[in-house]
Structure formats: C-alpha cells, structure tokens
Amino acid sequence: MNPLWAGLITGIAFGFLLQKGMMLRYEKQLGFLRFRDMTLLKFMFSAILVGAVGLHLLHALGAIPELKVRGTLIGANLAGGVIFGIGWALFGLCPGTAVGALGEGRWHVAAGIVGGLAGAAIFAEVYPALGGLLAVGSLGKLTLPGVLGLSPWIVLAVFIAGAVALFRWFEKKGL
Amino acid sequence: MRERGHWNPYLAGALVGVVAILSVWLTGQYLGTSTTYVRAAGGLACTIAPGHVAENAYYTLEKVKLDWQGMLVIGLFIGALVSALTGGTFRSEAVPPMWAERFGPSPWKRAVVAFIGGAIMVFGARLAGGCPSGHGLSGVMVLSVSGLLAMAGFMAGGFATAALLFGRK
C-alpha cells in the first residue's frame, strides 16, 4: 500500500481510539500527573503490553525480521524527557493527543500546537550547536532483555504481572 | 469510570496495541508524532527563508516533506473528530475546567501557558528523540532502554511540574 494512505488509515484508527479512551482531555492528563485519575496509565499500559506481546510473537515467528530499537543516549533521553514532562504539565496534552483534542473541539490546544511548532523550530536552530552534548551516554541500540541477559518473554511476564497488580490496585482505590 | 460515548480505557488501549502491531507487521511503520512538528515547522519556515531551511542540519536530517507520519497526524485529527461527533462527545472548549478552577476562566492566560508548554514539550521531545508515541508506545513495546529512560523522564518532569502548578493537594 502507498505509505501515505497507510499513514492516514493508521492515524484515523489511532485518533478514534484515543478519543474513545478519553485521552484527549486536559483533565485526564493532569489527573494522571496529579495522581487523581489513572485512566491514562490504564490506556497506555494496555496498549504497550498488547503491542509488546504481539510484536515479539511476530518477531519470534519470523513475520517481522527485526524490531526497530532507537539508540540509547542516556543524557538526551533523560534530559529531553524531563524537559518534555515540564512542557506536558504546563500544556496538558502531548504532541499526538493535542492534535486529537483539536478534533474533539478543545480549541485551546491550538495555542499549544503552535507552541509545539515554535519549539520544533527552536530545536532545529540550536541542533547544530548541541553537537557532542547529544552523544553523552551513547550506548547504541540497547533493549532491557539484552542488558539483563534475559529472554524478552521473562521481561514481558514481569511487566504484565506488574501492570495487572497496578490495575487491580487502581480499581480498588477507584483511581 | 466509563462515561457515555466512551469506551473502557483498557479496551481502547489494547486496541491501540493491535493497531501498532498491524502497522509494523503490514507496513513496517512505528507509531510516532513529534517529528511531524519539525517537518511542519520546516515547511512553514520554507515559505519565509527557504535557503535557511535548506542549510539547517536538523531539517536536512529529518527531511521536510509530507510522509507516513505526517499523514498519521492528519488521520489522528480526523479519527478523533469522527469518534467525537458520532459518539456525541464533541465539546467546544476554550478553557479546560480543571485549569479554570485553579487559574481562572481567562482563555488568554490558558493560551499563553499552552503555547509556552507546547514549545518546551516539543523541544524536549526532539532532544529525547521521541514523544509518548514514539518512545512511550513504540519504544517500550520493543523493550528499548531509550524508550524506558525517556518515559521515566516524561513522568519525572510531569509529576514535579504538576505538583508545583497545583500544589500537593
């Protein structure tokens, strides 16, 4: 299939499900960051675990030749992550959910999306100057099972057990 | 927990997992959105200073063009719109209620902070090499260390800032 059409169809499904799962609301995002409403974690961990099991299964069966792993850059991953988190709490949505929220009628996110474009442009301007800073802690394409020397299935089993325990606790507490 | 016109979050999330699997299996593409902000910003900058964009190392690296991910972001808007309209959950909202309760009803105040927050957020995502879609969903699905580190960063920054904004209560 033409990748542009594939992207559009995948995006429509993604946006539809984010809306159905109530992920496009400021209240659900800040509700999570304020430990008041764990809908976001329920949604995200469910997506990750189903996706992780399916991708590793298809990989084991040879249907997916190689799983794409982004290189580990300890400094950039962590520092960029924390900076992202600060902006996320101020704005109340993330780059993908913001676009969906606009489709749901939450007009105020338009300012955050324009801000996001400005942030991207600023990053492009400072990128040449960052140079070696981006490479701090560059360790290559690591996976957790690879680092631990374990089968991915053992890591997945631990993740699933942890998520199920967490989900049960959320439901008990009404979070 | 479930509200009219919405689905159980575990179910909706699990179905996103299925969408991610099908996308990788059938087309080799992993969910992600934040690179599209770079391409869109580059596209807009091209209308003002095309020479400058052509010379910039980051725009050259990420290639300013409409690709799979750009179409994914357009589709995301359409999918959310269709779901909201057909489910009766479309809400015209100038200020989110939780924001208004803490910071007042001014849409300008909200817009200014949303703009600043959006800029900081996408800057951070590009430094980290991805956002909660690219690192959080796609990265953690393949159990990558980069995805797990970035997720830890997203949450650490987010929890601390939310506590400062809203207090501990």
Side-chain angles (χ1 to χ4, degrees):
Chain A
M1 199 195 314
N2 179 323
L4 294 182
W5 282 109
L8 186 69
I9 294 165
T10 310
I12 290 172
F14 191 26
F16 188 90
L17 292 168
L18 284 168
Q19 204 281 334
K20 287 286 178 251
M22 297 173 280
M23 286 298 96
L24 307 177
R25 286 194 219 163
Y26 179 91
E27 280 69 26
K28 293 292 175 190
Q29 306 257 344
L30 263 296
F32 163 62
L33 292 178
R34 298 174 67 195
F35 301 102
R36 292 180 158 202
D37 179 340
M38 292 295 156
T39 309
L40 184 144
L41 272 198
K42 296 176 191 177
F43 182 97
M44 191 163 193
F45 283 3
S46 300
I48 289 172
L49 293 176
V50 168
V53 169
L55 290 180
H56 283 88
L57 195 61
L58 288 170
H59 180 55
L61 294 171
I64 298 173
E66 197 184 352
L67 295 175
K68 191 183 91 179
V69 174
R70 298 180 188 209
T72 300
L73 299 162
I74 295 180
N77 291 151
L78 276 179
V82 170
I83 293 171
F84 178 96
I86 295 168
W88 177 27
L90 286 168
F91 177 25
L93 288 139
C94 60
T97 52
V99 174
L102 196 61
E104 200 187 52
R106 320 266 170 185
W107 310 116
H108 50 91
V109 299
I113 293 172
V114 176
L117 293 171
I122 294 167
F123 185 79
E125 293 309 317
V126 301
Y127 175 78
L130 290 173
L133 278 177
L134 281 170
V136 172
S138 177
L139 301 175
K141 299 182 177 186
L142 299 182
T143 65
L144 189 59
V147 170
L148 299 174
L150 293 170
S151 152
W153 296 107
I154 294 177
V155 175
L156 281 173
V158 172
F159 274 26
I160 291 169
V164 169
L166 210 54
F167 291 163
R168 291 184 62 159
W169 185 68
F170 292 159
E171 296 307 325
K172 208 172 105 187
K173 292 275 175 187
L175 283 165
Chain B
M1 295 301 289
R2 198 173 351 155
E3 296 172 35
R4 268 180 90 85
H6 289 289
W7 295 356
N8 178 311
Y10 297 112
L11 173 68
L15 289 172
V16 166
V18 173
V19 170
I21 297 166
L22 290 174
S23 179
V24 174
W25 187 21
L26 301 176
T27 67
Q29 299 284 357
Y30 290 78
L31 299 180
T33 56
S34 66
T35 316
T36 296
Y37 282 75
V38 177
R39 300 197 179 108
L44 289 170
C46 252
T47 61
I48 309 163
H52 181 71
V53 173
E55 280 170 17
N56 181 281
Y58 197 59
Y59 291 131
T60 310
L61 175 75
E62 300 293 1
K63 296 181 187 66
V64 178
K65 61 166 194 219
L66 183 63
D67 67 341
W68 179 87
Q69 197 195 85
M71 292 299 282
L72 176 100
V73 172
I74 293 169
L76 211 160
F77 173 84
I78 298 170
L81 178 67
V82 169
S83 173
L85 290 177
T86 57
T89 49
F90 187 89
R91 291 286 176 278
S92 186
E93 183 182 271
V95 180
M98 188 189 276
W99 169 277
E101 197 184 307
R102 177 75 178 83
F103 300 105
S106 163
W108 293 107
K109 195 171 172 184
R110 163 64 182 152
V112 168
V113 176
F115 179 89
I116 295 167
I120 295 172
M121 174 179 87
V122 173
F123 184 94
R126 293 329 306 157
L127 181 59
C131 64
S133 303
H135 265 319
L137 293 175
S138 303
V140 181
M141 275 179 201
V142 297
L143 302 174
S144 69
V145 172
S146 54
L148 292 163
L149 285 175
M151 274 268 271
F154 298 158
M155 292 191 187
F159 290 146
T161 310
L164 284 172
L165 286 173
F166 285 90
R168 273 259 149 246
K169 213 163 42 149

